[in-house]
Amino acid sequence: MENGATTTSTITIKGILSLLMESITTEEDEGGKRVISLGMGDPTLYSCFRTTQVSLQAVSDSLLSNKFHGYSPTVGLPQARRAIAEYLSRDLPYKLSQDDVFITSGCTQAIDVALSMLARPRANILLPRPGFPIYELCAKFRHLEVRYVDLLPENGWEIDLDAVEALADENTVALVVINPGNPCGNVYSYQHLMKIAETAKKLGFLVIADEVYGHLAFGSKPFVPMGVFGSIVPVLTLGSLSKRWIVPGWRLGWFVTTDPSGSFKDPKIIERFKKYFDILGGPATFIQAAVPTILEQTDESFFKKTLNSLKNSSDICCDWIKEIPCIDSSHRPEGSMAMMVKLNLSLLEDVSDDIDFCFKLAREESVILLPGTAVGLKNWLRITFAADATSIEEAFKRIKCFYLRHAKTQYPTI
């Protein structure tokens, strides 16, 4: 892993995807190929992924009621906070209250809140690699030193807990755990999460649980919230409606203290949280007001349909990967909406690295993939499979054509 590792402080996912799109010079209406993006984690780009009628009606009713056009409390509407507490409590061995929940503008703002609250002189934070680059970006702004913990592809992208012990010191404030995994498509077992909690307790830091893909698990392992282990180690749970309800543009997220032992109940800590939220702008009030109905009335069949679609799409990707020698995936996705594949440059004639591969692929085949460098792993690729089967099939046909065009000539040995 070390040879492929990289840092991402100057790279953002949206930034590099924008550059890739700009590199495609021929539009479809000019006789060019249709652009197929398997780079952005936005399922709404494809018509097979749509939110529920319940969600649409709840937002419409909230908006048209004329009751929610004013400011909300900075920590969020009480009824929305209460509904989120009840929703998360379904999977926990204890009950959360609305006081444990703070509503954010998407999970990205929840990340910023978590790192801002933990920042102090000489503090460091442990981030997974590969991971989500917003964490590093936020850490840099908050003057938090970043230390990377490699995920282990040969072990289903589990966290290297020996590396955690080697990297942590008295100034380590937290370990970030992304489960289900972005960008790797992994789902952690109960046993591995327990080991993470015990390691964090032993070393004296808390866990930030990024569960924006919570419940999007379609493999053999069920989704287990990190908050289940909140009695072992304090956990800050970050999440949103974005992925499970397929509404990333609604920007409805949450920052939750899943901590039955009460480590965050200190009045000074609560007051600090509240003061920080006073300077933030949360989601639109009418979106917040729709949250109780959305969480309570969405039918289970909607979730099952989403999981079936993601499982089918990921299977198509895995089948095609076997047909293209220059890419390989040792781990079949079990959840989320993305997977990592390793790029074998030795099979390609004129491709220097993952970034070069993605730009040439975009220009020649109008297919967008995310270079692994953007998520901390050079010469890998992130493929988002939240797309319809037809688009995925067409994208991989083009990737195979690209490989054949750039494959090194194999000369017979004499």
Side-chain angles (χ1 to χ4, degrees), residues 158-159 161 175-180 186-201 207-211 221-230 232-233 235:
E158 287 187 346
I159 294 172
L161 294 177
L175 166 68
V176 172
V177 177
I178 305 175
N179 182 48
N186 56 293
V187 175
Y188 289 142
S189 67
Y190 182 98
Q191 292 77 13
H192 185 58
L193 293 171
M194 170 76 85
K195 290 178 182 177
I196 292 170
E198 291 172 343
T199 301
K201 179 183 179 181
V207 173
I208 297 173
D210 184 327
E211 296 175 357
K221 295 194 286 287
F223 166 66
V224 178
M226 191 72 213
V228 166
F229 309 99
I232 297 175
V233 66
V235 177

Side-chain angles (χ1 to χ4, degrees), residues 123-396:
N124 67 74
I125 188 167
L126 305 180
L127 301 184
R129 181 171 58 193
F132 186 50
I134 290 294
Y135 281 97
E136 182 181 1
L137 201 58
C138 286
K140 299 294 185 185
F141 274 107
R142 304 304 174 195
H143 304 293
L144 268 170
E145 178 194 346
V146 170
R147 298 181 181 179
Y148 289 102
V149 178
D150 286 336
L151 305 185
L152 304 171
E154 65 275 14
N155 292 342
W157 297 104
E158 287 187 346
I159 294 172
D160 185 343
L161 294 177
D162 290 335
V164 170
E165 297 215 25
L167 288 166
D169 62 21
E170 68 277 6
N171 292 316
T172 302
V173 292
L175 166 68
V176 172
V177 177
I178 305 175
N179 182 48
N182 176 27
C184 301
N186 56 293
V187 175
Y188 289 142
S189 67
Y190 182 98
Q191 292 77 13
H192 185 58
L193 293 171
M194 170 76 85
K195 290 178 182 177
I196 292 170
E198 291 172 343
T199 301
K201 179 183 179 181
K202 172 185 171 184
L203 299 174
F205 52 75
L206 58 83
V207 173
I208 297 173
D210 184 327
E211 296 175 357
V212 72
Y213 287 96
H215 293 280
L216 291 182
F218 47 78
S220 60
K221 295 194 286 287
F223 166 66
V224 178
M226 191 72 213
V228 166
F229 309 99
S231 58
I232 297 175
V233 66
V235 177
L236 294 176
T237 297
L238 318 181
S240 77
L241 294 181
S242 298
K243 308 299 184 179
R244 196 180 189 202
W245 273 268
I246 314 179
V247 288
W250 289 9
R251 312 308 298 144
L252 194 293
W254 50 79
F255 168 95
V256 181
T257 56
T258 37
D259 170 41
S261 300
S263 301
F264 295 110
K265 300 299 184 186
D266 185 312
K268 290 182 179 178
I269 295 176
I270 297 298
E271 186 62 22
R272 188 164 182 241
F273 285 164
K274 289 180 177 179
K275 283 184 176 179
Y276 191 71
F277 274 87
D278 282 344
I279 65 174
L280 300 177
T285 307
F286 71 90
I287 297 287
Q288 294 187 48
V291 167
T293 300
I294 293 170
L295 294 183
E296 293 162 13
Q297 296 185 19
T298 300
D299 192 84
E300 194 64 30
S301 62
F302 166 74
F303 300 131
K304 289 180 179 177
K305 180 183 176 184
T306 301
L307 291 178
N308 288 337
S309 295
L310 291 172
K311 174 70 165 62
N312 181 57
S313 296
S314 70
D315 285 344
I316 294 171
C317 289
C318 290
D319 290 343
W320 268 100
I321 287 166
K322 295 173 186 175
E323 301 295 318
I324 305 171
C326 68
I327 55 176
D328 177 65
S329 176
S330 58
H331 181 262
R332 203 173 189 92
E334 302 170 286
S336 80
M337 297 179 176
M339 63 186 296
M340 293 294 288
V341 298
K342 192 170 187 177
L343 188 58
N344 187 346
L345 294 171
S346 69
L347 299 179
L348 298 170
E349 191 69 56
D350 54 353
V351 176
S352 59
D353 59 22
D354 57 317
I355 294 177
D356 189 34
F357 179 96
C358 288
F359 273 93
K360 286 177 175 171
L361 179 67
R363 284 193 294 268
E364 296 176 26
E365 297 292 346
S366 297
V367 172
I368 305 293
L369 303 180
L370 186 71
T373 296
V375 293
L377 209 52
K378 187 174 182 178
N379 295 333
W380 287 65
L381 307 169
R382 189 190 77 170
I383 298 175
T384 300
F385 49 80
D388 61 80
T390 301
S391 294
I392 292 174
E393 293 271 9
E394 176 62 24
F396 274 96

